[in-house]
Amino acid sequence: RIGSATSVSSTIINNRLQELVKLFRERTEKVKEKLTDPDVTSDDESPTASPAKPVPAAAPVPPPAAEAEGDKPSGDEHYCEMLCCTFKYRPWLDRLKSYRFPSSIDPLTNLMYVLWLFFVVMAWNWNCWLIPVRWAFPYQTPGNIHCWLLMDYLCDLIYLLDILVFQTRLQFVRGGDIITDKKAMKENYLRSQRFKMDVVCLLPLDFFYFKVGVNPLLRFPRCLKYMAFFEFNNRLEAILSKAYIYRVIRTTAYLLYSLHVNSCLYYWASAYEGLGSTTWVYDGEGNSYIRCYYWAVKTLITIGGLPDPKTLFEIVFQLLNYFTGVFAFSVMIGQMRDVVGAATAGQTYYRSCMDSTIKYMNFYKIPKTVQNRVKTWYEYTWHSQGMLDESELLVQLPDKMRLDIAIDVNYNIVSKVALFQGCDRQMIFDMLKRLRSVVYLPNDYVCKKGEIGREMYIIQAGQVQVLGGPDGKTVLVTLKAGSVFGEISLLAAGGGNRRTANVVAHGFANLFILDKKDLNEILVHYPESQKLLRKKAKKMLKNNNKPKDEKGAPGDTLIIPPKADTPKLFQAALAATGRMGGKGPLAQLRWRLKELRAMQE
C-alpha cells in the first residue's frame, strides 16, 4: 500500500540512491574534463587551510599580563605596546640587515635602478644649475663655503657609487643572450663610452683649491654626466602612463635652464664692465639674480625694450645674445610642438576620421538619424577604448606578443564557453588571435531571427536582450558581460545555422566576434578538436530540441479539435446493433458518429 511504512522507507532509499548516482555522474564529468583540459581546476583538489592561523600584522594580541598566565610569545616574535593592546610587528631593521644587493640588474625593468638614476640626475642637476650661479654671483662666501663643499662631495659620492656599485652590475645583450656574469658585465662597462665619461666627470680638480682657492669652475667636469640624464628620461617614460606630461615639463626645463645660464653670463659681463657703469649693465640694485633673469628673458625671447649697449664689449655680447636667443627659442618651440603633437596624435586621427565620415554622409544626403548614430558610435568607441580599431595597435607587435595580450584579455571568457571545454589548448590560443571587437549602440540588432549565423558572440561589456514572442518584442532573457551566444551556429550544418531569435543591444555593448570562416581555418590543423566540437554541437542541438520533442512544440491550431476515443463497451454495443440491422437510437447514433468521422477526415 502507498501509505505503509515500507513504502515510505523504500521511497526515501530510492531518492537517496538517485542523489548518489547524480553525484557520481557529476564527479565523473569533472574527472573527464580534468583529463581532457588540464586548465580546468577541481574544487576537490584545492588545498585545505592549515589549522594554525597566523596572526595578522596589526592584529591585537593579549596584553603582557594575560600572557603571563597563558602561552608566552616565542623568541622570534616581536610585539609593540600601544594604548591598551599589544600589536605584533615585523622587525624592519632585521629585514634591512638581511637584504642582499642583487648580483645583476636589469636596466629595462628594474624600478630600483630607475630610483637610483633619479638620485644621480638630482646630483647632476645640482652641478649644472649651481656651478654657474656660484661662479657669476657673489653667493659663495667664506661664511657658507662649508655648506657648498658638503653638498658638492655628497654629489661626488653618488657619482662614485654609480660607477662602483650599479654600472658594473647592469645586464646587457650579446648575440641575443642576456649576460648576467659579474666579470662579463664589469668588462662590458669598462669598454663602454659611458665609463670614459664617468671617469672624466670625477677628475680630482679639487686639489687646485689649495692653489687658486675654491673656484666653482673647477667642478665643471661634473656636468658631463649627461648620459645618466638621458637614460633616466628613457626609463621614466617607459613606465609612465602619460609620458607626454613629463616631456612637456622637461622641454620647459630646457628653456628655463638656457635663461638661467644667460642671466649668469649677464651678471658676469656687468661685473666685468663694472656694476652701474653704463645704462646697459646691471646697476646693482634689488635681487641680483631676479633682475638678471628678467633681462635674460627679454633678450632670448626678443621682447625688446632694452637699453642700447655702449661699449664694443656690450655690443658683441648683445649680438651673440640675440643670435643665440633666436636659435634657442625656435628650437624650444619646435620641440614643444613635436611633444604636443605626439600627445594629441590619436585625438587628431579621431577627428580626421570623423570629419571625413561626416563629409561623406552629407555628400550622399544620409538621413540625420543615421548620421547621429554614426557620430554616437565614433564618440563612444573613442572614449571607451581610446582608439577606433584595436587591430591597428596589435598589428605592429610580433605574433607571440599579440598572443600574450589576447590571452590576458580574452582567455578567461573563452575558456568558460561550454563548446570549447576539452579542446586543444593551442587551438584556443589560435582562436583568441582571430577575435575582433565590435561596439553596438543601444537598440542595435546584433542578429535577427532567420538569418544565417556565421559568427559567435562574446559579451565583453554591456548587456544584450534576446527577444521573442508573437510580436518578436518580448524579452526572453538578458545576457550580461561574460555570456556567450551563437556558438552552435559555428558548427551547425544542413541549414541548422539559422538564428532562432532576435538579439538586441541593451545600451552600449562591446562584443567579441569569432567568424565561422576563421574557426574552420583553425580546425584544419586540429582534427581531434574538430571531432569533439562536432560531437558537442550535435549534443547541444539535441538538448535544445528535446523539450519540444517531448512536450510538443506549439503547432498550427486545428479547426475541429480531435475528439476523445469511444469507450470499448459503447463500441461493442454499436457493433451489435449494426449486425442486427436495428433502427433504434443506437443505430441513429452510430450513423451520426460515421458522419462526424468523415467530416473530421
Side-chain angles (χ1 to χ4, degrees), residues 440-487:
Y440 288 90
L441 302 183
N443 301 323
D444 273 356
Y445 277 90
V446 180
C447 58
K448 293 185 177 181
K449 182 179 180 180
E451 69 179 9
I452 303 299
R454 300 183 180 90
E455 303 93 4
M456 180 192 74
Y457 301 91
I458 303 173
I459 303 176
Q460 180 190 14
Q463 299 179 357
V464 298
Q465 293 179 339
V466 182
L467 306 181
D471 56 351
K473 297 182 179 180
T474 304
V475 179
L476 302 180
V477 67
T478 300
L479 304 178
K480 299 182 179 180
S483 302
V484 180
F485 61 94
E487 66 272 20

Side-chain angles (χ1 to χ4, degrees), residues 485-503:
F485 61 94
E487 66 272 20
I488 300 179
S489 299
L490 293 180
L491 299 172
N497 56 343
R498 290 187 178 272
R499 304 296 187 189
T500 58
N502 296 327
V503 180

